[in-house]
């Protein structure tokens, strides 16, 4: 039995679809999850969202033991959390950092990602379609 791909979402992404739709689009997180499950096919995924840094770190620890790969949109924690970076450093498999927007084309406080220092790949700017592309790419390597 292959281990699941963990898809972890950070703060405020529970509001996707209503949150600044001109920036993040109108697709809800539930719709993103459905698109990920379709892209995953017969592969198991764990799709989760939290506004808590502690919960995000606990899920990364779970993935260290139970997961094959991590696709993570840490949202604002991308730019602030050394604790999430340290947790990701322990993960033995591939890590895809995902952002709905191209963070490098946005305000300066979105430009310096801690997570990029450990990510296998970064997908940013494809909108919510980035999730299903990340799943398809992850399936090929795990
Ligand atoms: C999502 C967020 O919530 C922001 O804090 C990031 C990211 C951008 C995204 O594009 O998915 O800056």
């Amino acid at each position: 039995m292959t281990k699941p791909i963990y898809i972890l979402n950070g703060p405020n992404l529970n509001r996707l679809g209503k949150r600044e739709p001109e920036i993040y689009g109108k697709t809800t997180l539930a719709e993103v999850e459905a698109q990920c499950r379709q892209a995953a096919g017969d592969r198991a995924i764990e799709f989760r969202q939290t506004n808590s840094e502690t919960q995000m770190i606990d899920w990364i620890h779970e993935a260290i033991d139970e997961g094959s790969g991590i696709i993570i949109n840490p949202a604002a924690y991308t730019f602030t959390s050394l604790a999430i970076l340290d947790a990701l450093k322990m993960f033995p498999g591939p890590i895809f950092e995902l952002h709905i927007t191209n963070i490098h084309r946005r305000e300066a406080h979105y430009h310096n990602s801690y997570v990029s220092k450990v990510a296998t790949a970064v997908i940013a700017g494809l909108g919510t379609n980035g999730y299903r592309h990340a799943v398809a790419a992850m399936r090929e390597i795990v």
Side-chain angles (χ1 to χ4, degrees), residues 11-13 19 24 73 75-76 79 98-101 103 106 110:
N12 300 303
L13 291 169
R19 173 196 182 194
Y24 297 104
N73 183 344
F79 317 102
L98 187 137
H99 300 287
I100 296 165
T101 63
I103 57 175
R106 297 191 58 198
Y110 292 138

Side-chain angles (χ1 to χ4, degrees), residues 9-136:
N9 295 278
N12 300 303
L13 291 169
N14 53 306
R15 303 280 303 169
L16 205 55
K18 296 188 286 273
R19 173 196 182 194
E20 298 180 278
E22 70 282 2
I23 296 173
Y24 297 104
K26 296 182 177 173
T27 305
T28 67
L29 196 64
E31 289 166 335
V32 171
E33 180 176 0
Q35 290 168 10
C36 287
R37 293 196 182 282
Q38 185 172 21
D42 61 351
R43 293 299 301 271
I45 66 171
E46 289 291 332
F47 189 99
R48 302 181 188 166
Q49 185 277 334
T50 182
N51 296 322
S52 157
E53 187 176 14
T54 302
Q55 178 64 80
M56 182 64 84
I57 289 162
D58 288 346
W59 283 341
I60 292 170
H61 290 172
E62 180 186 314
I64 290 167
D65 301 322
E66 307 297 333
S68 57
I70 292 177
I71 297 167
I72 184 166
N73 183 344
Y77 292 143
T78 307
F79 317 102
T80 61
S81 179
L82 284 172
I84 286 174
L85 171 61
D86 288 345
L88 288 171
K89 282 180 176 178
M90 293 186 275
F91 184 71
I95 299 167
F96 291 177
E97 177 185 354
L98 187 137
H99 300 287
I100 296 165
T101 63
N102 178 352
I103 57 175
H104 304 291
R105 223 168 63 171
R106 297 191 58 198
E107 304 92 315
H109 51 267
Y110 292 138
H111 289 176
N112 298 308
S113 164
Y114 284 118
V115 174
S116 295
K117 299 181 186 314
V118 74
T120 309
V122 181
I123 297 175
L126 293 181
T128 51
N129 287 334
Y131 283 87
R132 60 186 174 86
H133 291 302
V135 171

